[in-house]
Amino acid sequence: MNMRISIYALFISFLLVSCAPPSVKTTMLTPAKFHDASMIKEIAILPFDGQGGAEFAAELEGMFAGINLNDKQYFTIVDRNKIDKIISELKFTQSALVDEKTAVKVGKLVGAKGIYSGVITSSKVSDNYFTESRSRCAYTATQYDKKGKPYQVCAQYENYNVRCSKRTAIFSATPKLIEIETGRVVYANNISGSENSSACEDTGKPLIDKTLLLKNARDRAKSMLRTDVAPYYVTVQIKLLDSTSGITSKEAENKLEQGIDFAKNNRLDRACEIWGEGRILAPNSSSILYNLGICAEVTGSPEQALDLYKKADRLMNQPDENITAALARVNKAIQDKDKLKKQTQ
């Protein structure tokens, strides 16, 4: 897979809202939030201290093993049986594994470059009960329409309470990653997640099962860790521009409109060609320049996109929120480029 394409645009789709020009929705690869942690790819995961620590470590193994970039597994995970054997032979407890020196010792024995350990600080589900007010008809009265036909209307309403319950699952942990060679902690953070479920006796809807709700909370916490230590995709929706400002010929105006029509039909490739032709006819069209900037951005050329966005911006009489957002977006992409290249090697 072409790296430039995979980094900046995994896929492109288009959304048409009312009569406005469509939006380009593109998925871009973003570098991990903790660069040093992302560079340690041969890892072992020790059982966490706390309730369900061993099970959570197993879930993390599955998460790390499932991270794939450019059709390649991102992390190499030390076999769980190998870790368990070492821990058993050395008679380490789960609480002892949190100690950095102990973790480094295990890491060296299992051949890892980095080792994750940590503490589960909260893993609980609680139920709270409350009432909600409802309104219902106390009694009805008969009325007649213009043809004398009777019908019933509510003559008086009354309020009443129903019993309800809210179930809340909370999970939090403090993982850390230790570099085996140096013994240095390269990553440490608090990760957490929560999930709620509510139900009232008059809805017939049951509360979500406690086990499932807690799993959902753990999944939220794991997603925080996922974006901390490995590159991840984010979806960005970018609006096209359709203003004819700066266009002096009907032919150039048609090129702008034709390109947008192709974009509406999921043909950004052809739209970009047409806007390129339109730029020759109307070099001072901010809309054409901006739309061409999008073409460059989603095909992995942030520097070219930045140049086009700047040209479009200089033609504006006042700030445009779409151009401002685009400038910020591609500037960040350029800043992240070297970091992302290192993380994906």
Side-chain angles (χ1 to χ4, degrees), residues 130-191:
F130 59 98
T131 61
E132 286 188 356
S133 178
R134 300 283 193 268
S135 179
R136 62 189 173 194
C137 186
Y139 63 88
T140 61
T142 302
Q143 292 188 0
Y144 298 88
D145 62 20
K146 293 180 179 180
K147 296 182 178 180
K149 186 176 180 179
Y151 63 94
Q152 298 296 310
V153 297
C154 186
Q156 184 174 329
Y157 288 90
E158 66 178 4
N159 294 325
Y160 67 102
N161 293 325
V162 296
R163 291 178 296 177
C164 302
S165 55
K166 181 179 181 180
R167 178 167 291 168
T168 303
I170 298 174
F171 180 88
S172 59
T174 56
K176 61 182 176 181
L177 171 62
I178 304 166
E179 187 178 43
I180 300 303
E181 184 178 357
T182 63
R184 181 171 63 102
V185 176
V186 296
Y187 169 78
N189 200 9
N190 296 315
I191 59 173

Side-chain angles (χ1 to χ4, degrees), residues 2-60:
N2 186 292
M3 178 59 70
R4 293 175 70 193
I5 300 297
S6 65
I7 287 177
Y8 293 99
L10 177 64
F11 66 86
I12 302 169
S13 61
F14 307 93
L15 299 177
L16 176 60
V17 180
S18 184
C19 295
S23 296
V24 177
K25 188 164 71 172
T26 181
T27 301
M28 301 178 181
L29 191 61
T30 300
K33 297 174 182 177
F34 291 77
H35 178 69
D36 288 350
S38 74
M39 300 302 291
I40 300 176
K41 297 184 174 66
E42 297 175 25
I43 60 173
I45 302 167
L46 299 179
F48 277 46
D49 188 24
Q51 181 182 351
E55 294 80 0
F56 184 62
E59 289 182 15
L60 291 183

Side-chain angles (χ1 to χ4, degrees), residues 221-280:
K222 287 187 295 183
S223 69
M224 291 180 62
L225 176 60
R226 164 69 179 81
T227 58
D228 279 351
V229 301
Y232 59 100
Y233 289 100
V234 294
T235 299
V236 181
Q237 188 168 306
I238 310 170
K239 290 184 180 179
L240 297 170
L241 294 185
D242 62 352
S243 170
T244 57
S245 176
I247 298 178
T248 58
S249 72
K250 186 64 178 177
E251 185 179 359
E253 187 176 326
N254 288 338
K255 293 291 184 183
L256 174 61
E257 293 174 357
Q258 288 170 9
I260 290 175
D261 285 340
F262 271 95
K264 289 178 181 178
N265 288 280
N266 297 349
R267 288 294 310 278
L268 187 64
D269 57 336
R270 184 73 181 101
C272 294
E273 292 177 4
I274 295 171
W275 289 326
E277 297 167 0
R279 183 185 181 186
I280 297 172

